[in-house]
Amino acid sequence: MRTLNLCCGLILFTLLAACVTINIYFPAAAAEKAADKIIDEVWQLRNSDKPALPPAK
Amino acid sequence: MRTNHFVRFIGLVVLMHFAGSVAAQANLEVNTPAVAALQAGMQKRFAELSPLLSNGAVGLTRDGFVALRDANAVPLAQRQQVNGLVTAENQDRTALYREIARANNKPEWENDIRATFAQRWIDKAQGGWYFQNNAGAWTRK
Amino acid sequence: MRFSRVAGVVLALLFAYTSAAQELALRFDAIAGPSFFAEKITATFRVAHESELDLRMAEVNVVGNRWRDVRIRCPAITQDRDNLICAQGMVEAPAAIPVSFRYSTLTGNLDLELKPAADERWRLTIVAGTSPAARETTLVVEKMPHTRLAPWWPATWPKLNAGLVSGKILLTARESNHVKADLNVTNLGFADASGLHAGEHVAATLSIEGQRRGEQWQWQSRLEWKAGDVLWQPVFVSGAGHVLDATGLLDNKQLVVMRGNLSLVGVGNLEFGATLNRTTSVLETATLKMFDIGLSEIYEKFLKPVLQGTALGDMRADGRMDIAFELRNGSVSSADLAFRGVSVEDKSRRFAVFGLNGRLPWHHEQLTAAVLKVSGGEILRVPFGAFDLPFEMRGVRLRVKNIEIPVLDGKLNVNDFATSGEGPDWRWRFSGAIVPIAMDKLTVALGLPVMHGTLSATIPAVSYQQSTLSIDGGLVFKVFDGTITARNVVLEQPLGKVPRLIADVDMRNLDLDLLTRTFAFGNITGRVDAHIANLELVNWIAARFDARLASSAGDFPRRISQAAVQSISSLGGAGAAAAIQRSFLRFFETFGYSSLGLSCRLESGVCHMGGIENVPQGYVIVKGGGIPAISVLGYNRSVGWNELIERLKRVTGGNVIVE
């Protein structure tokens, strides 16, 4: 019984630790946003009707 | 003496209102002159790269770069230039990923930034362009 | 030949029968000749209204090519004395090819013509002569399409996709086997799978002559490339009358070029020799020599494509050179270069060298030494003058003892320059000194506002490794009657896309009077010290620093003019400048101050500011003192750097209106 509890506890702990390690420090969403902005400029994807959007301040 | 104090008192305290913006650090910093210069160079080069991407001569690699995929799609007399174009574009891309990392004071982020761009370049590619899938094989969008 | 005698008898018999339909069949097990072997031959003569020959051969072998079940039919075979003439024959198997031939049973001479296609003609002429040794065989080909070469074409070579070959091959066997071939190729096209080794519309002529002595062939050849384009990654060349002449030897073990000359139109002559080991495919020895070639042409055509992407890949090159190389076992073992009036200039103006003269001998193992002379040049926009460069080389190592490079009106002394390491680990270092250079000339060269003073330095070590230049010691600028010292200077990728300069800068006792007058800022008297930690210039523009400026200690006049106050105020925006105009202070020319100070930490485009001390409203930039006094306070702690620079430009550009 105790062994079972210990095992469950260990598994839970490992899972939690695994969850924690998945949380990467690198801001992926912000990076994606920044990349999109740059790619849109380089490949001129936002061009539609306006020649160029004024830089946001 | 009194004039002095008076003048001092009157001595205007000129308040300097610096109406500058304080950048919020929620986003990834990309507004540096270096990034802007690299971006401008890449935008200019895109005019020449675009037809090569459309006819399959050049494709997007899975690690964030471009590569000469099919030299036969380009007339013989121009194949040498295409190679030069690909080399120059990849140099700019390498510098871009490094500069963004450094702009955020995190040089160790360079690989992650490159991986992010790799995915976004492919996602935003036009139909008919070629890109490398996860296995490294050329696929048409 | 036995065959001819037999054939002669048969013919005689044959044509003795005129009207009766007769059939005469001859069988031969095998007939062999030079490069020719035929097996199980059946010749059937049918004599009806006309004589017909039906020739079948189970197997024919010509120069290593094998055909099975060959059948040749001659519907009207005629005889003219000793000649057997087939005017309108047809090879029926393995392919339908019109054939005509004339064979002399007396002499054994054969004249045979095949017409595989409308324009294509193959003509084989054998003059038997008095003995096998005297036989002369000539093959003339007209407009053979490239497809016929396919069986012979080496698998590793790029595949042919177009072209016509015409030519004449003559084989004789007088004293020794003798071959003479003249071929003319038009519209040749080839490409490998990648398309990076390909040619289009190539027109060329090839003449080869060879004599066999024992196991060895002596050969002479001439290849003339008249037209067409060839891409051999990364080099692209168009044919324009380039000629390759070579003579040499060939046997089972080796191919030797004893004398070779490649004449490249528009570039020059290349003399070469080589020994190629045929079993290992290794170039055992090779020599290349080019005399008096124009660097401009050879750079544009051959060096630039190879150097693409490097710092040397986008230059203008000029001058003349002699180039000699020696290769052993496939790699360069020694080289000798001579420069005459050579100049190179980077198109992005990162560097330039003018008037390079001298010799550069190099050996992969042995020590070589020489002196090069340079007339002048430019590096990162700083010009330098003429100097001698004595050097020593051994393999990848280069050593220069002591040189003095004139820079503007001073000198850069370079001592003990040495390279070490290989590949990515390659690095160099030297120690040196800068003998004072006038700042006014330097600032003009760099495109900065003119400053007066000198730059000097004692440099214990400058090193370069992995695209990064590091300077130990400090660069000392004596400007504005004070001293600016730059320490821990590191320059990353100096010739690259995004050069990055990092340094710590210390400024002592700068005269504000001189400083403000240089920058048209109004007039402030006094002295300042400043310290800039971790200054980072990216693409020569400030990207990061932590700067602190404060009045120097000491006794000196401290006054600030109205114009200067206007300037400082303008940095705060138009509204602030107006404030001083409205007050009665505008009657005063100058004001006094007791001390001034400013700090700015630039990070991510924002300047985090501070002053001498903090007050409830903000921070003190100028602390009043004397008569009349003025104080300037800062309000916002965070300022957009670009905005600040814009305002500074406007102020120093004289846009401030002083009434």
Side-chain angles (χ1 to χ4, degrees):
Chain A
M1 202 55 190
R2 280 197 73 198
T3 333
L4 191 65
N5 279 344
L6 190 66
C7 282
C8 287
L10 274 172
I11 293 165
L12 193 65
F13 178 74
T14 322
L15 281 170
L16 280 172
C19 288
V20 168
T21 56
I22 290 167
N23 190 9
I24 302 165
Y25 177 52
F26 177 70
E32 246 180 66
K33 218 170 100 187
D36 281 355
K37 195 163 90 98
I38 290 176
I39 295 174
D40 285 344
E41 283 290 332
V42 173
W43 282 356
Q44 311 210 282
L45 294 175
R46 280 185 301 145
N47 250 352
S48 42
D49 14 51
K50 294 181 228 173
L53 293 172
K57 259 273 179 252
Chain B
M1 270 297 124
R2 289 211 66 200
T3 329
N4 187 14
H5 286 298
F6 176 65
V7 166
R8 262 214 191 144
F9 173 74
I10 299 293
L12 269 161
V13 170
V14 179
L15 297 174
M16 299 204 294
H17 299 261
F18 287 101
S21 66
V22 182
Q25 289 304 310
N27 301 320
L28 205 69
E29 176 61 55
V30 290
N31 281 332
T32 68
V35 170
L38 289 166
Q39 183 182 301
M42 287 165 69
Q43 188 176 323
K44 193 156 159 249
R45 192 179 301 109
F46 182 63
E48 292 179 75
L49 264 183
S50 176
L52 297 166
L53 284 159
S54 299
N55 71 13
V58 173
L60 306 171
T61 69
R62 64 177 162 170
D63 57 354
F65 295 110
V66 290
L68 183 58
R69 179 194 149 264
D70 182 17
N72 291 309
V74 179
L76 188 68
Q78 291 158 27
R79 268 175 227 176
Q80 191 190 45
Q81 289 161 270
V82 173
N83 211 52
L85 218 59
V86 166
T87 306
E89 175 73 9
N90 287 337
Q91 277 185 335
D92 270 0
R93 287 184 178 208
T94 305
L96 179 73
Y97 306 145
R98 183 168 39 230
E99 282 309 309
I100 294 175
R102 292 199 103 166
N104 291 275
N105 235 343
K106 295 259 184 295
E108 64 269 23
W109 281 359
E110 186 182 334
N111 285 333
D112 292 301
I113 290 168
R114 178 158 29 83
T116 305
F117 266 89
Q119 198 49 52
R120 300 311 295 156
W121 287 120
I122 291 173
D123 282 356
K124 286 173 166 279
Q126 287 180 23
W129 289 8
Y130 284 85
F131 64 94
Q132 276 182 333
N133 62 17
N134 288 328
W138 287 112
T139 330
R140 199 159 189 203
K141 196 142 196 242
Chain C
M1 229 165 93
R2 196 176 62 114
F3 177 74
S4 65
R5 263 186 245 125
V6 169
V9 168
V10 165
L11 278 170
L13 286 170
L14 191 69
F15 289 98
Y17 291 82
T18 45
S19 52
Q22 298 278 354
E23 192 175 286
L24 181 67
L26 296 165
R27 285 188 180 79
F28 299 91
D29 276 338
I31 293 179
S35 310
F36 171 82
F37 183 76
E39 217 172 49
K40 296 199 182 55
I41 302 148
T42 312
T44 311
F45 291 90
R46 279 188 209 95
V47 184
H49 181 69
E50 285 174 322
S51 307
E52 185 186 295
L53 170 65
D54 191 344
L55 184 64
R56 287 168 206 246
M57 293 176 267
E59 190 171 308
V60 179
N61 240 303
V62 178
V63 197
N65 284 272
R66 186 162 46 180
W67 292 279
R68 286 212 143 94
D69 296 325
V70 178
R71 187 177 173 191
I72 302 175
R73 261 187 73 228
C74 240
I77 194 156
T78 57
Q79 185 194 17
D80 173 20
R81 272 173 285 164
D82 58 301
N83 290 322
L84 190 67
I85 300 169
C86 171
Q88 309 228 310
M90 184 69 94
V91 175
E92 290 190 351
I97 303 174
V99 64
S100 63
F101 64 83
R102 171 195 283 262
Y103 179 67
S104 166
T105 55
L106 185 66
T107 57
N109 291 356
L110 173 68
D111 191 350
L112 178 134
E113 190 174 287
L114 290 160
K115 277 203 169 79
D119 278 333
E120 197 183 345
R121 207 163 74 105
W122 290 66
R123 187 163 176 175
L124 175 68
T125 313
I126 299 178
V127 177
T130 50
S131 65
R135 179 168 49 239
E136 227 176 68
T137 309
T138 310
L139 175 66
V140 173
V141 175
E142 266 173 49
K143 299 211 174 125
M144 174 186 81
H146 65 97
T147 43
R148 304 223 187 277
L149 285 171
W152 279 278
W153 201 250
T156 50
W157 290 16
K159 302 213 178 332
L160 294 173
N161 54 45
L164 289 173
V165 182
S166 303
K168 178 170 156 182
I169 302 176
L170 174 65
L171 293 130
T172 56
R174 294 238 169 69
E175 304 91 33
S176 57
N177 285 2
H178 184 258
V179 178
K180 189 168 185 327
D182 291 292
L183 300 171
N184 184 24
V185 172
T186 51
N187 201 36
L188 182 73
F190 61 90
D192 67 353
S194 69
L196 294 173
H197 302 95
E200 269 178 16
H201 307 303
V202 175
T205 59
L206 173 65
S207 311
I208 305 183
E209 205 173 316
Q211 306 95 327
R212 198 222 289 257
R213 297 191 198 282
E215 282 304 309
Q216 200 182 57
W217 282 88
Q218 285 175 351
W219 55 268
Q220 304 93 40
S221 73
R222 184 180 170 94
L223 172 66
E224 193 174 331
W225 177 10
K226 296 185 169 139
D229 301 325
V230 171
L231 172 69
W232 205 266
Q233 189 69 331
V235 175
F236 177 82
V237 191
S238 292
H242 312 304
V243 176
L244 176 73
D245 282 307
T247 63
L249 305 166
L250 175 70
D251 60 29
N252 284 335
K253 301 205 202 84
Q254 282 184 333
L255 169 65
V256 178
V257 177
M258 293 188 317
R259 263 191 323 278
N261 189 309
L262 172 63
S263 164
L264 282 167
V265 170
V267 178
N269 270 3
L270 170 72
E271 289 170 17
F272 65 97
T275 310
L276 174 71
N277 185 317
R278 290 185 69 187
T279 35
T280 60
S281 290
V282 167
L283 199 59
E284 277 176 3
T285 64
T287 58
L288 279 90
K289 284 192 179 79
M290 300 190 79
F291 290 110
D292 200 36
I293 47 157
L295 182 59
S296 171
E297 293 84 17
I298 209 162
Y299 176 75
E300 279 302 319
K301 272 243 152 301
F302 297 100
L303 296 176
K304 193 165 164 172
V306 173
L307 293 168
Q308 209 160 53
T310 68
L312 302 172
D314 191 27
M315 308 192 303
R316 259 185 290 274
D318 225 342
R320 309 209 69 83
M321 283 183 71
D322 300 334
I323 301 177
F325 281 108
E326 227 175 73
L327 283 93
R328 262 185 219 295
N329 290 324
S331 57
V332 183
S333 115
S334 72
D336 204 316
L337 310 176
F339 304 93
R340 281 190 294 284
V342 167
S343 297
V344 297
E345 193 183 321
D346 175 50
K347 285 193 184 157
S348 308
R349 244 196 121 177
R350 293 168 296 178
F351 62 86
V353 174
F354 304 120
L356 176 64
N357 286 286
R359 251 187 82 215
L360 193 141
W362 177 84
H363 195 276
H364 77 287
E365 252 176 7
Q366 291 167 21
L367 188 69
T368 57
V371 180
L372 288 171
K373 288 182 197 291
V374 175
S375 296
E378 204 180 81
I379 181 88
L380 294 174
R381 311 236 166 182
V382 179
F384 57 86
F387 65 99
D388 286 354
L389 182 63
F391 65 91
E392 272 177 11
M393 286 185 90
R394 186 200 289 269
V396 291
R397 298 176 77 115
L398 167 68
R399 249 175 253 285
V400 178
K401 273 264 145 57
N402 298 306
I403 52 172
E404 281 180 8
I405 304 173
V407 179
L408 295 165
D409 66 330
K411 273 190 280 204
L412 170 66
N413 290 338
V414 175
N415 302 318
D416 295 317
F417 178 96
T419 68
S420 48
E422 269 177 39
D425 201 29
W426 185 79
R427 57 196 183 278
W428 53 257
R429 63 184 276 130
F430 68 85
S431 63
I434 297 178
V435 169
I437 296 171
M439 277 304 287
D440 52 358
K441 295 198 168 65
L442 183 63
T443 46
V444 164
L446 295 173
L448 299 170
V450 177
M451 299 182 210
H452 299 273
T454 64
L455 161 64
S456 65
T458 308
I459 308 168
V462 177
S463 57
Y464 182 87
Q465 189 172 9
Q466 292 184 339
S467 307
T468 304
L469 184 81
S470 310
I471 303 179
D472 288 356
L475 301 172
V476 178
F477 301 79
K478 290 208 193 300
V479 276
F480 305 120
D481 203 32
T483 310
I484 299 180
T485 310
R487 276 184 221 288
N488 303 324
V489 178
V490 172
L491 187 54
E492 289 176 21
Q493 309 209 314
L495 300 175
K497 284 238 161 242
V498 187
R500 185 183 241 100
L501 175 73
I502 304 170
D504 294 321
V505 182
D506 206 38
M507 309 189 196
R508 302 270 146 184
N509 283 328
L510 299 187
D511 188 339
L512 275 172
D513 192 15
L514 293 172
L515 192 67
T516 49
R517 275 200 270 140
T518 303
F519 291 99
F521 198 74
N523 189 245
I524 308 177
T525 58
R527 287 187 181 269
V528 280
D529 298 336
H531 186 74
I532 310 176
N534 301 321
L535 171 69
E536 198 173 307
L537 300 180
V538 176
N539 245 346
W540 312 110
I541 299 168
R544 185 177 284 129
F545 60 76
D546 193 351
R548 205 163 292 272
L549 180 139
S551 289
S552 311
D555 190 19
F556 41 79
R558 295 165 193 239
R559 303 214 56 87
I560 179 166
S561 75
Q562 204 189 96
V565 176
Q566 294 276 27
S567 300
I568 298 177
S569 314
S570 299
L571 295 179
I580 198 172
Q581 284 305 310
R582 287 192 294 269
S583 85
F584 73 92
L585 288 167
R586 71 177 183 274
F587 295 117
F588 293 96
E589 285 285 330
T590 64
F591 303 90
Y593 71 90
S594 68
S595 68
L596 52 77
L598 187 64
S599 72
C600 164
R601 186 173 58 82
L602 174 63
E603 180 93 50
S604 304
V606 173
C607 191
H608 302 279
M609 306 192 72
I612 307 168
E613 59 202 18
N614 294 334
V615 291
Q617 300 99 316
Y619 50 94
V620 180
I621 297 174
V622 179
K623 192 167 182 183
I627 297 161
I630 192 153
S631 292
V632 179
L633 299 191
Y635 178 57
N636 261 13
R637 294 269 176 188
S638 299
V639 181
W641 175 248
N642 289 335
E643 179 73 42
L644 189 61
I645 292 294
E646 276 305 305
R647 290 183 192 162
L648 198 63
K649 276 192 200 158
R650 266 184 263 131
V651 163
T652 57
N655 284 344
V656 177
I657 305 155
V658 178
E659 281 167 17

